[in-house]
Amino acid sequence: MKTKTDKITIFDVAREAKVSKSTVSLVLTQSDKVSDKSKAKVLQAIETLGYVYNRDAAALRSRRSNLVALVINDLTNPYSAELAVGLENHIHALGMLPMLVNTAENVERQTQVVKTLKEYNVAAFIMCPAPGTTQQWVDELIESGFAVIHIMREIPFCGAPTILPDNKKGTHLATCHILQQGITDIAFVGGTDDISDHHERLSGFHSALQQFSLPQDKPVITAATNRQGGRDAFNALYAHHPDTQAIICFNDVIAYGVIEAIREQGLTPGKDIKVVGFDDLADSCLMSPSLSSVTINADDIGKRTCQVLQELLNNSVPAVRTLVDVNLQIRESSQ
């Protein structure tokens, strides 16, 4: 029998639990390839013996730490912050430690951040890719031995599994909601051509127009995905299309800027011009008028992402593309 000065090893745990060493290893690395019964026996043996798992040593042996890098494109966007919190909670539940970094929509900064994090031997990169991210760069990161998961945006044809809200459905629902009121002087505002979610949300806008047999040449104004972008986009729209009666916005933050700019023109948002956002931020229902918006459940995005993470770390093959459902919350700004 070992004394207190002897080091308890994984072999001792296996002997105590009457299981193989590989079963103990699977339990220690949170694998789902072990039965609940065996897991309970191993955990009881660990408690009985007082075994302490040396994660640093294990990382050196397996070339994998328990760190997960969350590479977020823009933490000044409130929805990105909500998403980061949801991801952190689910990553902690896996027994792993999230490292949060912000790339500020800058692909060069993203490249440098990822290069630095690779030196920490992170277990995986969960990232919302910055504009300009290429398929080749992502695939080279995967080929160098790192698990990579994309969220919210997609890099076409790359090897990273992607978790996305159903962007097209969201703007389709929002646009149909306006068109059902008999309003046809409608525009789409915000987002830039170099991000996938802009194209998806614009596609939903156009599919709704097609459903109502309306022309596809309704105004589309690209703009930075922030409040000032919304103000600038509305002013550009109103200068050329003063008869606009409704605006579908790329996101809620842009919608906030649009509503401010509408008021500056002496108009009443929700009455003279109806506005619908996307993301359904916590503040959107508190505004005056309260903002109609497409709801994305950030916790659900985090949950689905960590399910894919578990599959990758267990050498399973996850779905290439996972769509998370959305729904439209109708409030004063578009009634």
Side-chain angles (χ1 to χ4, degrees):
M1 183 174 179
K2 290 181 178 287
T3 67
K4 289 184 179 180
T5 58
D6 292 328
K7 183 178 180 181
I8 304 298
T9 70
I10 193 172
F11 296 99
D12 299 314
V13 175
R15 192 178 302 113
E16 175 73 19
K18 295 181 174 59
V19 299
S20 67
K21 171 185 171 292
S22 61
T23 297
V24 177
S25 296
L26 288 171
V27 173
L28 292 172
T29 55
Q30 286 101 33
S31 172
D32 59 2
K33 296 180 178 180
V34 60
S35 70
D36 290 341
K37 181 178 179 181
S38 295
K39 180 179 179 181
K41 289 167 65 176
V42 170
L43 293 176
Q44 181 58 53
I46 287 172
E47 183 176 351
T48 300
L49 297 175
Y51 173 72
V52 177
Y53 182 40
N54 189 331
R55 293 188 181 274
D56 290 337
L60 289 173
R61 291 192 297 271
S62 66
R63 296 189 57 78
R64 180 194 296 170
S65 72
N66 71 331
L67 301 176
V68 177
L70 302 184
V71 185
I72 304 299
N73 60 308
D74 181 14
L75 283 175
T76 64
N77 184 318
Y79 184 76
S80 295
E82 288 182 18
L83 186 61
V85 170
L87 283 164
E88 284 185 326
N89 290 337
H90 288 287
I91 290 169
H92 279 299
L94 293 178
M96 306 186 81
L97 182 65
M99 296 176 64
L100 180 62
V101 293
N102 177 38
T103 63
E105 297 282 31
N106 185 299
V107 70
E108 288 80 15
R109 181 169 176 174
Q110 175 181 276
T111 300
Q112 186 56 52
V113 160
V114 168
K115 181 180 178 181
T116 301
L117 290 170
K118 286 169 69 176
E119 298 173 4
Y120 286 86
N121 194 31
V122 297
F125 289 93
I126 297 174
M127 65 173 69
C128 181
T133 303
T134 65
Q135 174 194 348
Q136 180 182 356
W137 180 80
V138 177
D139 287 343
E140 286 176 353
L141 180 59
I142 294 170
E143 288 165 8
S144 66
F146 292 92
V148 180
I149 302 170
H150 285 162
I151 55 173
M152 302 305 293
R153 291 178 183 167
E154 188 170 26
I155 304 301
F157 312 118
C158 78
T162 306
I163 291 81
L164 300 164
D166 196 340
N167 290 302
K168 183 175 181 179
K169 176 181 176 181
T171 45
H172 183 94
L173 292 174
T175 307
C176 286
H177 160 62
I178 296 296
L179 299 178
Q180 285 163 355
Q181 300 177 52
I183 296 171
T184 57
D185 290 324
I186 187 172
F188 182 90
V189 161
T192 55
D193 289 333
D194 52 1
I195 52 177
S196 65
D197 42 355
H198 173 260
H199 295 285
E200 291 165 358
R201 295 180 188 184
L202 183 57
S203 175
F205 175 72
H206 283 143
S207 68
L209 293 174
Q210 183 178 22
Q211 181 175 317
F212 280 74
S213 301
L214 294 171
Q216 300 282 301
D217 60 352
K218 300 297 181 181
V220 174
I221 310 294
T222 58
T225 54
N226 54 41
R227 206 175 191 120
Q228 186 59 48
R231 295 169 68 93
D232 294 342
F234 175 78
N235 290 331
L237 172 68
Y238 194 67
H240 295 94
H241 303 278
D243 295 331
T244 299
Q245 294 179 293
I247 299 173
I248 307 300
C249 297
F250 173 81
N251 66 14
D252 279 12
V253 176
I254 286 174
Y256 297 167
V258 165
I259 286 173
E260 291 168 352
I262 289 173
R263 286 201 172 101
E264 289 174 0
Q265 293 290 342
L267 302 170
T268 303
K271 182 179 179 182
D272 296 314
I273 301 179
K274 298 183 185 295
V275 182
V276 183
F278 203 115
D279 291 342
D280 197 18
L281 300 175
D283 286 347
S284 294
C285 64
L286 305 175
M287 297 178 60
S288 180
S290 54
L291 178 66
S292 297
S293 186
V294 177
T295 301
I296 312 170
N297 189 318
D299 186 71
D300 199 14
I301 295 282
K303 180 180 179 180
R304 300 290 188 90
T305 300
C306 286
Q307 288 172 348
V308 171
L309 175 60
Q310 279 188 296
E311 291 182 83
L312 288 175
L313 296 182
N314 291 331
N315 297 315
S316 299
V317 181
V320 172
R321 197 171 193 262
T322 301
L323 280 186
V324 175
D325 199 16
V326 299
N327 60 79
L328 177 64
Q329 293 291 329
I330 299 172
R331 301 191 180 100
E332 297 168 344
S333 71
S334 69
Q335 290 177 334

